[in-house]
């Protein structure tokens, strides 16, 4: 003790690189902004999907909106509790994939991975397309440029996420708060008003052509379950949270469930009370907005916020899919480059791959939301079911305290999601759901083939086994391709002499006069190295050197042969196109056709 202070152990401080440290990971509120916008923004189309299904039985059937929404909210509660358990059991992320791999076996994990990849890509496409639709509703001049709007929004999101998920979370914080306040304001003000403040859109007639039977109720239930997409994203991206990671992720999942449940039930109450039916030119949410705020500035501001949030909801996939792809790469089911991270904690190859797949999908359907919706929720319901079935098996194996109650929760959720998924698949199959039925098995096959390739490569390389002693070579030969006597030649010959026992320079010439001049200049320089000049009447450079190297390697008598290729590098990148790129081409051909060592030697210019 010195002056009443306890002695502290001194430890060296190592400066952190960009992207390291807790400040580059998510807090609970940042996680809500970065990973929950997909689920929260579903209130813009989930209740409307229920209304569009029920109105087939006439406007009187809209009274069933509230009980159907309550059933969906019950399923939401089961999913939130279930994924809270997933987060605790699998804090490394991966969600349904991690649970399936640990509890249900390889085939189920492949199914979970494929369905999640499909769902994430569709989430980006649907969110951007729906946002473009909302924007075109407010500004009809953009109605013919929806694809361009989607691609511009996709490019902006990709750029933000390439800088890191934390930066994207901070960008999304303000729109998320404004959206939540706007929707809750619609619910509160709408309930306080005895009747809607204003009515927007053109009236439409809906003669009943179906009865409000079990089949129609189930169809409306499955359509409304599109509001549940995105609930799993937090469990897939647990590693992006600050420590304690799983507690912060669980807290974020609970906040998401509570907010989404309140919004869905509140909007359903308004729909039932005011008998809100589809009207021309506006969405159901826009009608509820006008009923609560009127048609003043608050109405337009809310619609703009909804449009912005729908566009930004795609960020959920950018937070979840790259992490999932990194787990697949770690398990040798995707190329290993998807497991690489940049200096910031970002899986950039995963971000770019997601952006490219979403762009291709948007181009294929011309940003038509109605062609994407039938594909939307099937993949996520597969993931829901597998994750909960996996946890049921986990509790049955481990048998911790209270395991029967937990297994009952997960089993109930699995039953409900299976029912909703089957109904959604059967009712939407001919509308485009068949694409998912084909895409998921093909993706499973791709994962399996990649894993098989890595397994065979591991066997051939002898990974995990101690190899024999290395081959001992008695001599080495370094071949240096050159074009002229210059400082570049001096630089290359000097490096080659330091690397090998014997050095030979090789030049290719087509003009006899230039051949004679090069020979005379070499003799005057006299670097102590033999020069072999290859005659090339067809003025080919690469192939004669490759043939020379192959011939020397064949007659090499066990020598280690290396080819040292000098390459001029300008100081400024804008001059690179002015330099001869034949060195890179020669190196590529040598690597593909020979087993010699190929080295690139840079000579950096001052220009």
């Amino acid at each position: 003790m010195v002056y009443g202070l306890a002695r502290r152990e001194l430890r060296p401080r190592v400066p952190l690189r960009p992207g390291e440290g807790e400040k580059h990971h998510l807090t609970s509120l940042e996680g809500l902004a970065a990973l929950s916008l997909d689920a929260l923004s579903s209130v813009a189309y989930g209740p409307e999907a229920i209304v569009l299904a029920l109105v087939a039985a006439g406007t009187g059937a809209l009274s069933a909106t509230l009980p159907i929404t309550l059933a969906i909210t019950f399923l939401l509660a089961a999913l939130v509790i279930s994924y809270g358990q997933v987060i605790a059991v699998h804090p490394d992320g991966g969600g349904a994939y991690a649970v399936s791999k640990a509890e249900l076996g390889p085939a189920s994990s492949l199914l979970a991975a494929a369905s999640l990849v499909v769902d994430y890509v569709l989430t980006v496409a649907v969110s951007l397309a729906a946002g473009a639709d909302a924007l075109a509703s407010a500004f009809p001049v953009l109605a013919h440029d929806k694809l361009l709007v989607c691609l511009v929004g996709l490019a902006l999101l990709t750029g933000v996420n390439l800088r890191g998920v934390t930066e994207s979370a901070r960008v999304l914080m303000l729109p998320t708060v404004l959206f939540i306040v706007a929707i809750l304001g619609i619910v509160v003000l709408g309930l306080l008003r005895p009747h809607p403040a204003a009515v927007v859109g053109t009236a439409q007639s809906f003669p009943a052509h179906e009865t409000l039977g079990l089949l129609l109720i189930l169809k409306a239930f499955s359509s409304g379950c599109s509001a549940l997409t995105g609930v799993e994203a937090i469990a897939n991206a647990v590693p992006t949270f600050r420590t304690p990671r799983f507690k912060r992720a669980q807290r974020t999942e609970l906040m998401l469930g509570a907010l989404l449940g309140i919004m869905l039930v509140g909007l359903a109450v308004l729909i039932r009370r005011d008998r809100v039916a589809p009207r021309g030119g506006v969405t159901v949410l826009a009608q509820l907005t006008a009923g609560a705020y009127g048609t003043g500035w608050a109405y337009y501001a809310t619609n703009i916020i909804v449009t912005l949030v729908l566009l930004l909801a795609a960020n959920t996939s950018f937070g979840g899919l790259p992490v999932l792809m990194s787990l697949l790469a770690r398990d040798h089911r995707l190329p290993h480059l998807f497991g690489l991270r940049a200096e910031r904690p970002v899986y950039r190859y995963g971000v770019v791959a997601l952006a490219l797949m979403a762009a291709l999908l948007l181009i294929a359907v011309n940003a038509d939301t109605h062609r994407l919706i039938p594909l939307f929720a099937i993949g996520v319901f597969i993931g829901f079911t597998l994750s909960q079935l996996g946890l049921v098996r986990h509790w049955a194996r481990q048998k911790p305290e209270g395991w029967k109650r937990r297994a009952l929760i997960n089993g109930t959720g699995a039953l409900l999601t299976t029912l909703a998924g089957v109904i959604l698949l059967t009712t939407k199959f001919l509308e485009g759901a068949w694409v998912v039925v084909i895409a998921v098995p093909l993706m499973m096959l791709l994962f399996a083939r990649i894993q098989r390739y890595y397994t065979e490569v591991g066997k051939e390389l002898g990974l995990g086994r101690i190899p024999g002693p290395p081959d001992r070579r008695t001599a080495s030969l370094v071949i240096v391709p050159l074009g002229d006597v210059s400082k570049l030649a001096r630089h290359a010959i000097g490096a080659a002499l330091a690397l090998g026992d014997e050095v030979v320079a090789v030049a290719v010439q087509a003009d006899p006069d230039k051949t004679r001049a090069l020979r005379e200049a070499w003799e005057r320089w006299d670097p102590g190295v033999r020069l072999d000049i290859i005659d090339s009447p067809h003025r080919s450079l690469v192939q004669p050197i490759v043939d020379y190297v192959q011939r020397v390697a064949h007659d090499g008598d066990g020598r280690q042969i290396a080819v040292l290729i000098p390459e001029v590098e300008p100081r400024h990148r804008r001059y690179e196109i002015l330099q001869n790129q034949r060195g890179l081409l020669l190196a590529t051909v040598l690597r593909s056709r020979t087993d010699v060592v190929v080295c690139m030697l840079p000579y950096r210019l001052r220009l």
Side-chain angles (χ1 to χ4, degrees), residues 113 197 240 308 518:
T240 62
L308 177 61
L518 176 60

Side-chain angles (χ1 to χ4, degrees), residues 36-116:
S36 301
L37 270 184
D38 174 31
L40 293 175
S41 66
S42 64
V43 300
Y45 50 80
E48 184 166 5
I50 299 174
V51 171
L52 289 174
L54 290 177
V55 81
T59 55
L62 296 179
S63 59
T65 302
L66 181 57
I68 292 174
T69 303
L70 290 174
I72 293 173
T73 306
F74 174 76
L75 177 57
L76 170 65
L79 288 173
V80 168
I81 295 172
S82 173
Y83 274 105
Q85 296 174 348
V86 171
I87 291 168
V89 175
H90 297 279
D92 291 333
Y97 173 69
V99 176
S100 300
K101 185 179 71 171
E103 308 295 343
L104 300 178
S108 296
S109 66
L110 289 176
L111 175 60
S115 62
L116 285 173

Side-chain angles (χ1 to χ4, degrees), residues 199-206 277-283 286-287 299:
V199 178
V200 293
T202 57
Q204 295 177 328
S205 61
F206 295 97
R279 295 176 67 89
V282 295
T283 63
Q287 295 182 60
Y299 171 78

Side-chain angles (χ1 to χ4, degrees), residues 12 42 137 205-206 223 229 233 282 295 398 402 484 560 587 602:
S42 64
S137 299
S205 61
F206 295 97
S223 298
T229 56
V282 295
T295 55
Q398 302 295 329
D484 206 345
Q560 177 67 61

Side-chain angles (χ1 to χ4, degrees), residues 20 65 77 127 198 206 258 270 283 322 352 383 386 438 474 482 499 506 560:
E20 295 182 337
T65 302
S127 298
F206 295 97
L270 290 175
T283 63
V352 173
L386 289 174
I438 295 175
T474 56
L482 292 174
L499 293 175
V506 179
Q560 177 67 61

